[in-house]
Amino acid sequence: MASFPDFVNENEIARSRTIGELITPTSPFEQKYGRENWTVAFAPDGSYFAWSQGHRIVKLVPWSRCLKNFTACSTKSGVNLTNGRLSRQNSDLGQKNKPIEHTIDCGDIVWSLAFGSSVPEKQSRCVNIEWHRFKFGQDQLLLATGLSNGRIKIWDVYTGKLLLNLMDHTEVVRDLTFAPDGSLILVSASRDKTLRVWDLKDDGNMMKVLRGHQNWVYCCAFSPDSSMLCSVGAGKAVFLWDMDKYTMIRKLDGHYNDVVACEFSPDGALLATASYDTRVYVWDPHIGSILFVFGHIFPPPTPIFAGGDNGRWVKSVSFSHDGVHVASLADDNLVRFWRIDKSYPVEVAPLNKGICCAFSTDGSVLAAGTQDGNAYFWSTPKSVSSLQHLCRMAIRRVMTTNEFKKLPIPPKIKEYLAYQMM
């Protein structure tokens, strides 16, 4: 494990190139509270980008049109896409599933967003169901919004219409995640200390309540094969859940402060968690060991100081689709791009009041949200994955750490497959 080394000066690290921004229109008398952009999200097929503009409003914009506008803008400050820029292009409103811009009023402050898409052959887990209110087809694209009042609202992305209103949480719905397998299983994480599992193919029926957190739950994330869920929260909590049996697999110990974000690598072999203790840990979730530590301050704070306000709280973490790059966002007004084979950032970018970040579906762009309700975009570090790494990802998609360690293969290959040798 390696932390941020003292011989690397962040001022000498390459700067990531800003490609654009989405600015929330505001009036001079508008209050700052409630404008926070807590979540940015890309649709699974890359068709849409969504972000919360604050004060109940969520914006859905066609991602390809954003990129075209970004490319057309030659100024260093990027392009400002506000209310009318994209809508003037929407002359084809009658075409179903044609990406068009939507502005959604959710009725309360929005804390979380998640896109979900359906696969028809994935049946509901509920049995003996003869009738459904909704028949989600293969061309269905949904947006789930988690609100301050504990409600979850489900919207049709193509039309902007409200489909479902899920009510069971008693506090803020801090995060949402759909199962990647197209089953439309939705998991919500709340300040009421619970996670709830919803089946949208059964008209939003709540299937299960996952209990174990003693404090607020900040974030949750599915593994790529939808078999495992990670949830993180206050009190240093990092939990792993079996989503077939709805039981806790293990608790991961190692952080010194609240853990606020988590995400699996594309092959499911790694899990990144971000904490207020100034660190991002990359774990092997199958055995519970820490493989890498990305420190955001050097020397790293001792446990007693890491447990308090240290000015380097890490707010968000995201894994790129190449399985090599990790992005993090901290209170020191920097976005960092890491490689899992290096102990220092390969690129950095300035960002004031950043809260959240996410890679685009193809991994070429990183989006980040701020306390002002705005979204900013950077071009991500370019690299060509080695054939070895691609083979490793292919194997790790179908085999856990314990499974491949039983294979009659050389120890060095086992170390490489376990991400212990880069």
Side-chain angles (χ1 to χ4, degrees):
M1 298 185 299
S3 291
F4 194 81
D6 57 348
F7 55 82
V8 175
N9 186 342
E10 286 196 348
N11 293 324
E12 299 174 355
I13 297 174
R15 295 277 167 165
S16 180
R17 182 174 62 88
T18 302
I19 65 170
E21 59 190 29
L22 294 168
I23 304 299
T24 301
T26 57
S27 64
F29 305 104
E30 189 172 19
Q31 295 292 322
K32 292 291 184 181
Y33 176 75
R35 286 188 58 202
E36 293 88 355
N37 179 4
W38 291 108
T39 313
V40 291
F42 291 92
D45 62 358
S47 59
Y48 274 93
F49 172 74
W51 87 102
S52 169
Q53 295 188 337
H55 298 301
R56 315 185 317 182
I57 302 301
V58 170
K59 197 79 167 183
L60 277 164
V61 295
W63 178 234
S64 61
R65 293 182 184 174
C66 281
L67 286 177
K68 288 179 181 178
N69 279 277
F70 293 160
T71 303
C73 182
S74 59
T75 60
K76 293 183 179 179
S77 58
V79 60
N80 179 357
L81 295 178
T82 52
N83 286 341
R85 180 69 61 86
L86 287 171
S87 59
R88 285 195 295 267
Q89 304 175 25
N90 295 339
S91 58
D92 48 0
L93 294 176
Q95 295 185 23
K96 180 176 172 55
N97 299 357
K98 184 75 173 179
I100 59 175
E101 180 183 359
H102 296 291
T103 300
I104 298 174
D105 187 341
C106 295
D108 205 344
I109 294 175
V110 181
W111 285 80
S112 50
L113 302 170
F115 282 100
S117 56
S118 173
V119 177
E121 47 277 14
K122 277 285 182 180
Q123 299 299 318
S124 170
R125 295 194 182 189
C126 296
V127 296
N128 299 324
I129 298 174
E130 298 179 357
W131 178 86
H132 284 111
R133 179 183 174 192
F134 295 101
K135 301 289 185 182
F136 293 117
Q138 191 168 10
D139 59 349
Q140 192 80 37
L141 183 59
L142 306 178
L143 179 72
T145 57
L147 307 182
S148 183
N149 59 11
R151 295 190 178 188
I152 302 166
K153 292 188 176 182
I154 310 298
W155 309 83
D156 185 320
V157 172
Y158 298 127
T159 64
K161 294 181 179 179
L162 178 65
L163 299 177
L164 289 169
N165 197 351
L166 310 180
M167 297 177 287
D168 208 69
H169 282 296
T170 58
E171 293 286 347
V172 170
V173 179
R174 188 60 187 86
D175 196 32
L176 295 164
T177 182
F178 277 97
D181 61 3
S183 62
L184 288 184
I185 297 298
L186 174 69
V187 176
S188 54
S190 172
R191 285 184 179 177
D192 65 13
K193 307 175 185 178
T194 68
L195 298 125
R196 296 175 190 264
V197 186
W198 313 82
D199 186 353
L200 268 59
K201 287 196 173 182
D202 185 26
D203 294 337
N205 174 54
M206 194 190 70
M207 303 164 54
K208 197 73 178 178
V209 179
L210 303 180
R211 304 183 189 274
H213 285 268
Q214 301 301 310
N215 299 284
W216 290 357
V217 190
Y218 282 108
C219 184
C220 56
F222 268 103
S223 62
D225 64 0
S226 303
S227 67
M228 189 186 300
L229 181 86
C230 175
S231 63
V232 299
K236 315 171 189 177
V238 182
F239 295 157
L240 294 175
W241 306 85
D242 183 324
M243 293 307 289
D244 292 323
K245 302 177 181 178
Y246 302 116
T247 57
M248 187 183 297
I249 300 173
R250 63 173 58 89
K251 179 181 179 181
L252 303 182
D253 295 314
H255 279 296
Y256 302 111
N257 204 336
D258 292 356
V259 189
V260 294
C262 60
E263 189 164 47
F264 284 89
S265 62
D267 60 1
L270 305 174
L271 170 69
T273 57
S275 171
Y276 289 165
D277 64 12
T278 77
R279 301 167 173 90
V280 167
Y281 286 170
V282 179
W283 311 76
D284 183 329
H286 302 286
I287 59 177
S289 63
I290 300 173
L291 299 177
F292 316 109
V293 178
F294 298 143
H296 291 65
I297 185 173
F298 185 86
T302 59
I304 189 171
F305 290 106
D309 189 353
N310 47 54
R312 295 292 192 278
W313 283 3
V314 188
K315 295 292 186 65
S316 185
V317 66
S318 183
F319 239 114
S320 177
H321 81 301
D322 62 9
V324 173
H325 290 94
V326 177
S328 66
L329 190 156
D331 267 345
D332 58 358
N333 296 328
L334 284 178
V335 176
R336 293 172 174 85
F337 295 91
W338 310 80
R339 280 183 60 97
I340 59 174
D341 56 353
K342 297 184 182 297
S343 59
Y344 56 87
V346 292
E347 290 186 13
V348 297
L351 177 67
N352 291 325
K353 302 179 182 179
I355 301 178
C356 59
C357 65
F359 280 99
S360 61
T361 307
D362 64 0
S364 63
V365 173
L366 181 79
T370 68
Q371 294 177 17
D372 298 325
N374 302 326
Y376 298 88
F377 303 86
W378 295 270
S379 178
T380 58
K382 299 295 188 293
S383 66
V384 178
S385 297
S386 67
L387 182 58
Q388 286 179 317
H389 174 64
L390 294 175
C391 291
R392 172 171 59 186
M393 290 185 66
I395 294 172
R396 291 311 310 268
R397 286 180 190 276
V398 297
M399 300 191 75
T400 68
T401 304
N402 292 325
E403 288 173 342
F404 76 76
K405 282 191 172 181
K406 297 176 182 178
L407 298 177
I409 55 178
K412 289 295 184 182
I413 296 180
K414 290 183 180 181
E415 289 181 15
Y416 186 77
L417 291 176
Y419 287 88
Q420 295 174 350
M421 182 181 70
M422 301 305 298

